[in-house]
Amino acid sequence: MSEKTASAAVKEKKPFGKKPVARKDMSKVQWVLKEMKRNYIAYIMCAPFFLIFFTFTILPVILSLYYSFTIFNLIETEQWVWFDNYIRLFLDDDIFLIAVQNTLIFAVIIGPVSYMLSLFVAWFINELSPRIRAVVTLIFYAPSISGGATTIWTVFFSGDSYGYANSILMRMGLIETPIQFFQNATYVMPLCIVIALWSSLGTSFLSFIGGLQTIDKAQFEAAAVDGIKNRWQELWYVTLPNMKPQLLFGAILAITSAFGFGAIVDGLAGNPSVDYCAWTIVHHLGDYGGARYEIGYSSAIATILFAMMIGSNMLVKKLLAKVGQ
């Protein structure tokens, strides 16, 4: 056996779990195909999930990008119009610009605030005893799983004298007539933001608690020996670096919920809200895609929303990379 053949045989018999090394006597494509053939069982096991994921996630994104350059109404054949839909969005559609402004306001306020709120509440709860921790976790998590949570706030801010807010203000002599909270553009946006924050402790909150529970206590003792002086330094240099997977997961959920904000507005202020004061990109997308069946135009809206989410995700990844430094 020649030295070259013996070397190739050694490379093929790599122990399980180690990264395979590409051979020099074949191209990269040939090597990839060879590795796929060698690990065909793994690909067969992954195939059902991949097909479902591709069909219902990747393919709709690709089709949305394609249809964003067309005029399409689900009945007639699509007509290629290039960038006309995007030009119409930014130059002719005033409501879309209002939607972008409101979406950015919701995203800038609700996203970071709910994220930090989930993190610090989880940090606080983690310091409690196990029995108390379970009860407090349920109390904080309950609003996010309450399907009719907006009903509570609708009753509280009802526009007649029987609404709790109006009743209290009238008894205190601060107002003489009931305030129409959800029919007044001054109050709709602030109330929707507050209620969204109230119900924002969801899955990311639970993931933060899980991440805090997995940190080795010996690291805190070692950090104290190395000079960590207070709990804030302990949080920055020990706790958060050990929670980077949970932090990234929570950030993705926060970004998605912040840019996809709309259900709470519908439940409180109706659709559309008064003077479009809480009209978001999701509302605009639903209007053109679900009501008017302008699929090409709505696909352009969806593409812009997708680009905003991707950009925010990349920014958050860069910020999280600096945690602990």
Side-chain angles (χ1 to χ4, degrees), residues 4-319:
K4 183 176 181 181
T5 307
S7 176
V10 170
K11 288 181 180 180
E12 288 181 355
K13 294 181 180 180
K14 287 291 183 181
F16 179 77
K18 290 188 176 181
K19 183 178 180 180
V21 180
R23 290 171 46 173
K24 296 181 180 179
D25 58 342
M26 61 176 62
S27 66
K28 186 176 181 179
V29 174
Q30 291 175 333
W31 177 78
V32 170
L33 292 176
K34 180 178 179 299
E35 289 297 317
M36 291 177 65
K37 184 178 180 180
R38 186 170 68 89
N39 300 296
Y40 72 95
I41 296 178
Y43 286 97
I44 293 175
M45 298 296 291
C46 293
F49 170 78
F50 176 77
L51 291 175
I52 294 174
F53 181 77
F54 179 82
T55 303
F56 295 101
T57 303
I58 299 178
L59 185 60
V61 172
I62 297 174
L63 290 176
S64 178
L65 181 61
Y66 168 76
Y67 284 124
S68 68
F69 297 101
T70 67
I71 294 177
F72 184 45
N73 59 7
L74 292 178
I75 299 176
E76 301 175 339
T77 304
E78 66 271 14
Q79 299 178 10
W80 193 264
V81 293
W82 295 99
F83 292 96
D84 287 0
N85 288 328
Y86 294 96
I87 295 173
R88 176 185 169 189
L89 274 174
F90 289 101
L91 298 182
D92 295 334
D93 194 341
D94 295 334
I95 304 299
F96 175 73
L97 298 180
I98 295 175
V100 171
Q101 177 183 340
N102 292 335
T103 300
L104 290 176
I105 292 174
F106 283 127
V108 169
I109 296 176
I110 296 175
V113 174
S114 65
Y115 183 77
M116 298 302 296
L117 186 63
S118 298
L119 177 60
F120 283 106
V121 170
W123 188 38
F124 163 74
I125 292 176
N126 187 62
E127 301 297 318
L128 303 175
S129 62
R131 291 185 178 180
I132 299 177
R133 185 192 306 141
V135 176
V136 177
T137 300
L138 178 61
I139 293 173
F140 277 95
Y141 183 64
S144 65
I145 59 176
S146 301
T150 55
T151 305
I152 301 172
W153 295 99
T154 303
V155 174
F156 191 88
F157 291 103
S158 178
D160 51 36
S161 58
Y162 297 101
Y164 291 105
N166 279 323
S167 178
I168 294 172
L169 292 175
M170 292 178 70
R171 289 181 181 181
M172 295 176 63
L174 298 177
I175 59 173
E176 295 182 357
T177 57
I179 300 175
Q180 304 296 319
F181 288 102
F182 295 117
Q183 283 74 44
N184 190 321
T186 305
Y187 299 103
V188 171
M189 179 75 82
L191 287 176
C192 288
I193 291 174
V194 171
I195 295 170
L197 292 175
W198 173 76
S199 60
S200 64
L201 298 181
T203 307
S204 59
F205 166 69
L206 294 181
S207 70
F208 290 154
I209 293 180
L212 290 167
Q213 291 292 308
T214 59
I215 299 176
D216 187 0
K217 303 301 180 183
Q219 295 189 28
F220 297 106
E221 299 174 2
V225 174
D226 290 338
I228 296 296
K229 299 179 180 179
N230 53 56
R231 295 301 302 276
W232 293 109
Q233 290 182 346
E234 183 182 277
L235 175 67
W236 182 254
Y237 292 108
V238 181
T239 304
L240 295 182
N242 281 280
M243 290 179 56
K244 282 189 177 181
Q246 289 83 9
L247 293 176
L248 180 59
F249 176 71
I252 293 174
L253 291 180
I255 291 171
T256 304
S257 61
F259 280 99
F261 188 78
I264 292 179
V265 176
D266 294 342
L268 297 173
N271 187 359
S273 54
V274 57
D275 296 333
Y276 294 96
C277 62
W279 188 258
T280 65
I281 296 180
V282 172
H283 289 124
H284 211 59
L285 174 61
D287 182 27
Y288 280 92
R292 309 188 190 194
Y293 293 102
E294 295 187 23
I295 305 303
Y297 194 66
S298 63
S299 295
I301 299 172
T303 302
I304 292 173
L305 181 60
F306 180 73
M308 293 171 66
M309 288 185 176
I310 293 296
S312 300
N313 189 26
M314 295 173 63
L315 176 62
V316 168
K317 282 185 177 180
K318 289 185 177 180
L319 294 176

